[in-house]
Amino acid sequence: MSEVSVTKDATPDALVALSGVNKHFGALHVLQDIDLTIARGEVVVVIGPSGSGKSTLCRTINRLETIDDGSITIDGKPLPQEGKELARLRADVGMVFQSFNLFAHKTVLENVMLGQLKVRKTDKKAAEDKARKLLDRVGVGTQADKYPAQLSGGQQQRVAIARALAMDPKVMLFDEPTSALDPEMINEVLEVMQQLARDGMTMVVVTHEMGFARSAANRVVFMADGRIVEEAEPDQFFNNPRSDRAKDFLSKILHH
Amino acid sequence: MNVLLDHLPEFREGFLGTLAITAASAVLALVLGILIAGFRVSPIPPLRAFGTAWVTLLRNTPLTLLFLIAFFVIPQIFFPGTSPFVLAMGALGCYTSSFVCEAVRSGINTVPIGQAEAARSLGMTFTQTLRMIVLPQATRTVIPPLSSIFIALTKNSAIAGAFSNTELFNVSKLLSDKGFAIGWIFLWIALAYLVITFTISGAFRLLERRLEVAR
Ligand SMILES: Nc1ncnc2c1ncn2[C@@H]1O[C@H](COP(=O)(O)OP(=O)(O)OP(=O)(O)O)[C@@H](O)[C@H]1O
Ligand SMILES: [Mg+2]
């Protein structure tokens, strides 16, 4: 597809650009020569077998994992070394984890306010207004004064999305956001993400939810053994994968 | 019995002396211990190395040796004229800080790594993450070992008595040198220590329960 060739050269509107990225965990070569460009407003779904390096890829984008070589730029700026500048850049990259990771000792409202107060230095009133608005938007406005442990998994994950959105991120990273959820809660989270995609948020989503990929993604990136094996539009990828690895993988996840 | 009544001012001064040296050293140990624990988990290698060296050195040196260094080396080379109280506080505080550091560090390790990752991905700095997210959640696990550490500190403060500080142990030695019945002296001194150590463990148990209620 034309998608693939477009992403090869650095488009002026590239928001996240990885080029020649390599990473090892000891002897394990988890990321091998990764080139990936994500345009502003684009929704990219990353899919692939367990252990293929999807989480690691996601985490290198805000430098929760360091890379051995290659370069990663966000909005044209290369990721800096650990320090104040990296912290500032991370504030522009929202991250949603599989295990929610809400601050256990803070209320839902405080969770969504903390980054605004301590990183963006927003004043308290404005931070609270915004937090409440975001909590309403993800449908947990009535839970504002509870602690995370008092919420269901689906509610916690929606709070986590609100917490990330409170920073006004340029891009949102989701690492299997629904994998830890009971089936009946998956949709409430996917709906929030779908709405986000419609609103034009740039998103990188590691997920096996094909319904979401088909309806919200502009592009599917298929990873196996630390490499990007295939990139395509969702319909093409799911109906007509080119690589054998992808065919094999899809036949496995479609057969149960 | 009479020893106590006849020498009430001495006993009182000894008691207050022990209390003062213990409290001052405890504050120093707590501040240093938390700071060094921060160093030990910091992303900056030289700070980590410093933290490791600090703990290894202080925790494995006999306290008496630290007192000797504090009283005979430090004033000679660095700070002449430092008062015995400050020197004793330095020795006790630094020694105890290595234990506080390890207790705090093991508390930090009980906080799930995802908590710190979430904070960092919001753009919080390492110090903010440690101070606002990790340490508050580590507190509950750190309280019980901290209680033991401060009780040990109270008893260790007796060494300060041998280095021209007025405290309980020093008073007991003074009186027994004067020929008073050693059994009675020891009984009263032991009771005085018990008052302090019971207060510490009580206070910490209260703190532990308070933290439990607050989630
Ligand atoms: N911190 C680490 N230290 C060592 N090895 C690691 C570390 N994190 C991940 N790995 C290894 O790197 C490989 C890729 O891991 P990664 O979590 O990126 O895979 P994944 O595609 O997200 O898999 P899953 O679908 O199971 O989440 C795996 O083999 C994993 O065991
Ligand atoms: Mg993963």
Side-chain angles (χ1 to χ4, degrees):
Chain A
M1 292 264 20
S2 62
E3 282 292 330
V4 181
S5 59
V6 167
T7 54
K8 283 294 180 207
D9 35 73
T11 6
D13 223 18
L15 185 55
V16 179
L18 291 83
S19 88
V21 170
N22 280 282
K23 177 171 181 74
H24 295 79
F25 280 124
L28 184 70
H29 199 169
V30 264
L31 296 180
Q32 309 186 20
D33 300 316
I34 301 287
D35 292 308
L36 179 67
T37 308
I38 295 146
R40 211 175 295 273
E42 196 180 14
V43 176
V44 172
V45 161
V46 181
I47 189 168
S50 178
S52 55
K54 307 178 299 289
S55 298
T56 310
L57 175 73
C58 210
R59 292 159 56 86
T60 56
I61 296 178
N62 67 355
R63 213 171 179 279
L64 282 180
E65 300 285 357
T66 55
I67 57 176
D68 300 337
D69 58 54
S71 79
I72 301 177
T73 61
I74 293 181
D75 215 357
K77 287 195 234 40
L79 284 183
Q81 293 295 303
E82 196 75 36
K84 284 233 158 56
E85 211 184 323
L86 178 63
R88 210 169 306 132
L89 198 133
R90 277 195 184 126
D92 291 339
V93 181
M95 176 125 193
V96 176
F97 301 85
Q98 180 174 351
S99 48
F100 329 133
N101 294 346
L102 292 176
F103 304 133
H105 62 309
K106 304 248 176 224
T107 65
V108 163
L109 185 68
E110 288 167 342
N111 263 276
V112 185
M113 288 172 66
L114 194 69
Q116 300 183 66
L117 296 175
K118 303 299 175 186
V119 178
R120 296 286 191 220
K121 314 284 181 199
T122 318
D123 74 37
K124 200 154 178 233
K125 179 77 176 60
E128 182 174 339
D129 287 349
K130 183 169 185 179
R132 289 197 187 278
K133 220 171 281 163
L134 283 166
L135 287 172
D136 283 337
R137 181 167 151 197
V138 300
V140 286
T142 54
Q143 316 290 327
D145 296 320
K146 291 193 180 162
Y147 283 93
Q150 297 168 293
L151 269 54
S152 74
Q155 290 172 325
Q156 288 190 54
Q157 194 60 299
R158 285 181 283 151
V159 174
I161 294 173
R163 175 176 70 178
L165 288 175
M167 307 302 289
D168 293 320
K170 293 175 178 165
V171 52
M172 289 273 284
L173 311 173
F174 295 82
D175 187 7
E176 303 206 30
T178 57
S179 300
L181 296 177
D182 292 337
E184 72 269 23
M185 295 171 186
I186 291 179
N187 276 333
E188 64 191 46
V189 172
L190 289 180
E191 270 161 31
V192 169
M193 291 169 60
Q194 233 136 16
Q195 186 56 49
L196 209 55
R198 277 196 293 272
D199 294 345
M201 176 60 77
T202 310
M203 294 162 68
V204 177
V205 186
V206 178
T207 185
H208 292 163
E209 293 295 333
M210 277 184 300
F212 174 82
R214 279 177 185 277
S215 64
N218 302 106
R219 183 159 43 123
V220 172
V221 169
F222 175 72
M223 279 187 82
D225 300 329
R227 291 180 186 281
I228 294 181
V229 176
E230 187 164 345
E231 289 183 61
E233 282 178 356
D235 281 338
Q236 187 197 332
F237 178 79
F238 290 116
N239 298 337
N240 200 4
R242 279 167 297 171
S243 62
D244 291 340
R245 286 301 303 263
K247 281 176 194 155
D248 183 47
F249 175 75
L250 284 175
S251 74
K252 275 182 193 139
I253 62 168
L254 290 173
H255 280 157
H256 56 233
Chain B
M1 183 71 211
N2 279 342
V3 189
L4 176 68
L5 297 179
D6 291 348
H7 298 273
L8 211 49
E10 281 94 335
F11 272 104
R12 199 179 58 108
E13 216 175 304
F15 181 74
L16 291 179
T18 293
L19 215 54
I21 189 82
T22 303
S25 311
V27 171
L28 181 66
L30 200 60
V31 172
L32 279 177
I34 293 173
L35 188 73
I36 305 286
F39 284 6
R40 292 208 69 178
V41 298
S42 120
I44 303 163
L47 285 186
R48 275 206 305 273
F50 178 83
T52 310
W54 179 275
V55 170
T56 312
L57 222 61
L58 287 166
R59 203 164 57 146
N60 298 309
T61 309
L63 182 55
T64 320
L65 188 62
L66 286 181
F67 264 94
L68 289 171
I69 294 170
F71 279 80
F72 299 114
V73 180
I74 304 282
Q76 294 289 329
I77 303 177
F78 302 105
F79 310 106
T82 312
S83 77
F85 182 84
V86 172
L87 291 174
M89 179 184 87
L92 275 170
C94 289
Y95 176 77
T96 309
S97 78
S98 65
F99 294 90
V100 172
C101 167
E102 289 306 270
V104 171
R105 194 167 67 101
S106 74
I108 288 174
N109 288 336
T110 64
V111 179
I113 185 83
Q115 294 285 307
E117 285 184 348
R120 284 161 68 209
S121 68
L122 282 180
M124 291 169 74
T125 61
F126 170 77
T127 328
Q128 285 178 322
T129 303
L130 197 61
R131 200 160 49 84
M132 296 171 199
I133 305 300
V134 179
L135 284 179
Q137 296 189 62
T139 312
R140 251 187 64 192
T141 31
V142 174
I143 295 291
L146 223 46
S147 170
S148 311
I149 290 170
F150 286 147
I151 287 171
L153 167 65
T154 310
K155 297 182 286 186
N156 285 337
S157 71
I159 300 180
F163 289 83
S164 34
N165 274 283
T166 304
E167 51 75 70
L168 283 169
F169 185 72
N170 171 282
V171 168
S172 81
K173 194 163 171 307
L174 215 73
L175 295 178
S176 67
D177 284 352
K178 281 188 189 167
F180 292 102
I182 209 155
W184 281 111
I185 302 174
F186 276 10
L187 180 69
W188 292 120
I189 297 287
L191 278 178
Y193 273 116
L194 281 180
V195 168
I196 300 178
T197 51
F198 272 30
T199 309
I200 293 176
S201 62
F204 272 87
R205 211 165 313 136
L206 209 69
L207 201 62
E208 203 181 334
R209 207 163 320 141
R210 281 276 294 279
L211 288 170
E212 230 159 79
V213 180
R215 240 200 71 69

